[in-house]
Amino acid sequence: MTIQIYNTLSRKKETFVPIEENKVKMYVCGPTVYNYIHIGNARPAIVFDTVRRYFEFSGYEVNFVSNFTDVDDKLIRVANELGEDVPTIADRFIEAYFEDVSALGCKKADVHPRVTESIDIIVEFIEKLIEKGYAYESNGDVYFKTRSFEGYGKLSHQSIDELRLGSRIEVGENKQDSLDFVLWKAAKQGEISWPSPWGHGRPGWHIECSAMAKKYLGDTIDIHAGGQDLAFPHHENEIAQSEALNEKSFANYWMHNGYINIDNEKMSKSLGNFVLVHDIIKQVDPQLIRFFMLSVHYRHPINYSEELLESTKNGLERLRTSFGNLKDRLRSSSNLANDNESWLEKIKNHRKEFIASMNDDFNTANAISVLFNLSKDANYYLQNKNTNEEVLHAFIQEFEALFGVLGLTLEENLLLDEEIEALIQQRIEARKNRDFALSDKIRDELKEKNIILEDTPQGTRWKRG
């Protein structure tokens, strides 16, 4: 069965046909690194990491590029407020980004290009647009002539006349038409800037992705992805720039994930309901955030709340408990069970159902339902006193493989701090020495720190309460 992708450009599901056989060229818009990422930024990171993983699972070689916007108005403002320079701010939050998304189970891209390291290719791109008559200089700024690109509006499915009704020229802008957008900004006094044929300045936001995608993936790429909020104007403008210059289709498939609401309200700074990943992963298993995000189809909106997160936690714990019980049983398996082939066939069918779900526009919600069915069968199998090692191994391997596709781990991914680690080790020693009073005291101390201990025949397990 082939992979079907919902293409924002055509507004329908299409069979994925790569430009090169068994290869995927994929570009995902990355963050502007002026602060820690919030839960809304985490969704595309998780979603498109999962898409990448599934392509790899399906036998594709994926060239995955995701950029950093490391200079723009927000970075300049924060640098001024903190009395630091822009590169220092950018470096700090790029490092924080990697820490946060790594905790969420996201792999690094093959290339993470930065605007400040791409000035030469951006300037060259703009120069060629001017030569071809698609852009013009005005008082040190450079603008794209939107009306000169015939297909403008095809991604957002808006006509040029509809777009014109809501547009205007702001104070200080030097553009000829209200629909034109900036490619190069003339530097203001004291701002970070670079030399160019039009004077010192810096790139506009939209041009950076077009230039970086061209450099690292070529004129036409397979998949361009990002949050729904980027479809217009950012991705619309990318199409205009790239196709005007290259005279080729920019991306064959456009993927956009849905919005996140916080407690049924749109996330916004004015409401003060932003949830920073940097903060939340100190309180809960980061993998729970990933599991929560993947429990809803990526194109649908998702509502984030502590209650929903707690509900999701119970589901993830059930799957992990099933896996743990399988591994525990493996240590004492008798290999006397019958009907092994029937059970092995059931396990294979779960994989087929999982693949069918993921092939249907990466439907992780349905794929997770398959994991619960796998868990249900595993629990039923474990009711047998006599179990077979081959069947247990098959169950375990299937859990590991399918969890891996979703970027999920089968063990809680919260690191204990040194104090808690020391207390757990101290309690283990107390139990060995039959000092049960001390053991109970330590258990109570850990409980106060929201650490729940479970003493099993295989040793002491712990989890967050």
Side-chain angles (χ1 to χ4, degrees), residues 100-358:
D100 290 346
V101 298
S102 175
L104 295 171
C106 299
K107 300 192 294 184
K108 281 189 175 182
D110 294 298
V111 184
H112 280 286
R114 298 169 60 158
V115 176
T116 57
E117 297 171 352
S118 308
I119 300 298
D120 290 348
I121 62 169
I122 292 172
V123 168
E124 182 184 0
F125 199 113
I126 297 171
E127 285 182 305
K128 290 179 178 178
L129 285 175
I130 293 175
E131 289 172 12
K132 296 186 74 169
Y134 286 104
Y136 60 92
E137 185 269 340
S138 179
N139 294 328
D141 296 330
V142 181
Y143 292 93
F144 185 86
K145 294 159 85 171
T146 301
R147 290 182 182 277
S148 66
F149 180 70
E150 187 176 342
Y152 195 83
K154 63 183 178 181
L155 183 66
S156 54
H157 299 269
Q158 302 177 82
S159 71
I160 201 84
D161 292 328
E162 289 173 330
L163 292 167
R164 187 159 177 22
L165 288 174
S167 64
R168 63 181 182 179
I169 298 177
E170 302 289 344
V171 175
E173 291 183 322
N174 301 301
K175 52 189 177 182
Q176 298 169 0
D177 187 308
S178 60
L179 287 176
D180 296 347
F181 57 89
V182 68
L183 302 175
W184 184 264
K185 294 183 176 183
K188 296 177 182 175
Q189 185 68 32
E191 280 188 352
I192 185 172
S193 64
W194 290 263
S196 80
W198 322 288
H200 274 73
R202 56 189 167 90
W205 177 36
H206 311 299
I207 190 66
E208 63 184 74
C209 290
S210 286
M212 292 173 184
K214 180 178 175 67
K215 177 178 179 178
Y216 294 103
L217 296 174
D219 292 350
T220 303
I221 63 179
D222 291 298
I223 297 172
H224 198 311
Q228 185 179 331
D229 57 311
L230 298 181
F232 184 86
H234 185 51
H235 289 165
E236 193 77 70
N237 291 350
E238 282 188 59
I239 290 175
Q241 297 161 164
S242 294
E243 296 188 1
L245 178 64
N246 301 322
E247 299 181 5
K248 297 176 182 176
S249 174
F250 178 33
N252 291 335
Y253 304 88
W254 288 86
M255 297 179 67
H256 295 94
N257 64 271
Y259 291 109
I260 287 188
N261 294 324
I262 305 292
D263 293 323
N264 294 308
E265 288 188 296
K266 184 177 179 181
M267 187 171 61
S268 75
K269 289 182 178 178
S270 61
L271 293 174
N273 62 352
F274 267 59
V275 178
L276 295 178
V277 173
H278 194 72
D279 294 332
I280 193 67
I281 62 175
K282 293 177 182 177
Q283 303 165 24
V284 301
D285 179 0
Q287 284 274 298
L288 178 58
I289 304 296
R290 187 179 184 105
F291 188 73
F292 173 75
M293 294 288 188
L294 297 179
S295 67
V296 175
H297 190 279
Y298 78 89
R299 285 192 288 111
H300 297 166
I302 188 170
N303 184 48
Y304 177 91
S305 70
E306 290 185 5
E307 292 75 17
L308 288 171
L309 200 62
E310 185 65 27
S311 175
T312 305
K313 176 183 176 182
N314 295 333
L316 181 57
E317 285 183 350
R318 288 204 308 274
L319 294 173
R320 285 173 166 172
T321 298
S322 291
F323 179 75
N325 290 339
L326 286 164
K327 295 190 77 173
D328 289 345
R329 179 65 67 87
L330 188 60
R331 299 185 181 96
S332 58
S333 180
S334 65
N335 288 334
L336 297 176
N338 297 318
D339 201 21
N340 297 336
E341 290 304 318
S342 174
W343 280 106
L344 292 172
E345 189 62 30
K346 282 184 180 181
I347 295 169
K348 288 179 183 177
N349 287 335
H350 287 305
R351 175 170 290 216
K352 291 177 183 177
E353 292 171 2
F354 181 92
I355 289 172
S357 296
M358 293 298 287

